[in-house]
Amino acid sequence: MHHTKTSQPRTLGDHTWRDRAVCRSTPHHQVDPELFFPEPDEVDRIREAKALCAQCPVRRVCLDAALENGDSVGIRGGMTEEEREPLHKKLEHRLDYARVNEVLAGRDIHLTKAERRAVARAAYQAELPSARLAWLLKITDEHAEKLYRRTRREIRNRAVEQQEKAEKTPRNQPDALQKPEFKRPVRDDLGTAA
């Protein structure tokens, strides 16, 4: 899925982006809303709708809204129903760090399961009180404490696994026989992964 960058993810319940949509009819720019609900065999209408979407400054927001709301009808965000279907299935795994950072800053953003886990981990590592995590994720204090316990366990288990792996690696082999060390690539763009 190829995304264009937007300044900020939309907040929950925000529909103001629709005012900037190319598909919005105005007195000077009439658009037939039915154009975005073609039958699968209406290739010309699909092409025309997608051409309008390609010019739209809020195309990404439109696509996100369609996915987050489970909207599987019509052309949204420049994609047909069939093109969006695999994205609907993958949505819960989306991990967009811009969205995570917005929530940590206190904005109400629709989060996927993966993004909620990332918020919990970041809040735990920043030593935010569980009450703050509860407020950020709109959950109970008890649930936030449970998320912190799970995060603490995951971090501990990962550290134990890494230590066990390091202990199994032979250290007295000549350099020529040792396996090359794997170095994880550095990510400069903490973008989306859907």
Side-chain angles (χ1 to χ4, degrees):
M1 180 163 74
H2 192 312
H3 294 297
T4 57
K5 296 279 184 191
T6 57
S7 57
Q8 290 182 327
R10 78 184 169 89
T11 56
L12 292 174
D14 177 18
H15 300 289
T16 59
W17 60 271
R18 292 178 178 170
D19 294 339
R20 299 186 328 266
V22 172
C23 61
R24 183 173 177 262
S25 280
T26 66
H28 304 291
H29 176 72
Q30 293 295 314
V31 178
D32 178 8
E34 289 302 312
L35 176 66
F36 296 92
F37 298 94
E39 293 298 322
D41 60 341
E42 295 179 305
V43 179
D44 290 337
R45 285 184 64 196
I46 292 171
R47 190 176 305 127
E48 184 179 350
K50 283 183 159 191
L52 277 176
C53 288
Q55 303 168 33
C56 189
V58 293
R59 185 175 72 196
R60 163 73 190 270
V61 178
C62 179
L63 178 59
D64 283 346
L67 295 173
E68 292 162 3
N69 296 329
D71 187 352
S72 59
V73 180
I75 295 176
R76 297 285 304 271
M79 300 179 86
T80 64
E81 300 163 8
E82 294 80 16
E83 292 167 336
R84 283 195 319 275
E85 186 176 345
L87 300 180
H88 280 285
K89 292 177 183 176
K90 294 180 188 179
L91 182 64
E92 72 182 44
H93 302 292
R94 177 186 66 194
L95 182 53
D96 182 340
Y97 287 95
R99 302 171 77 76
V100 170
N101 290 334
E102 290 292 328
V103 168
L104 290 169
R107 292 188 68 224
D108 290 334
I109 306 292
H110 184 284
L111 296 174
T112 64
K113 288 180 181 180
E115 290 164 343
R116 292 176 74 80
R117 285 191 301 269
V119 167
R121 177 181 278 273
Y124 176 81
Q125 290 174 327
E127 299 180 0
L128 295 180
S130 60
R132 176 68 177 168
L133 177 64
W135 181 83
L136 290 171
L137 294 179
K138 310 298 183 254
I139 58 177
T140 65
D141 288 348
E142 293 81 18
H143 190 185
E145 290 169 7
K146 180 180 176 181
L147 290 176
Y148 272 171
R149 286 192 301 273
R150 181 185 308 156
T151 300
R152 190 171 35 253
R153 239 185 352 262
E154 288 172 356
I155 291 171
R156 184 191 64 228
N157 291 345
R158 184 172 293 139
V160 168
E161 289 171 7
Q162 289 175 347
Q163 184 178 0
E164 289 173 352
K165 185 178 177 183
E167 289 172 358
K168 289 180 183 179
T169 304
R171 301 211 184 277
N172 57 0
Q173 292 181 349
D175 288 342
L177 298 177
Q178 286 185 352
K179 294 181 182 175
E181 185 177 320
F182 173 76
K183 295 197 180 201
R184 187 172 303 272
V186 177
R187 284 184 61 183
D188 293 335
D189 68 329
L190 298 178
T192 59

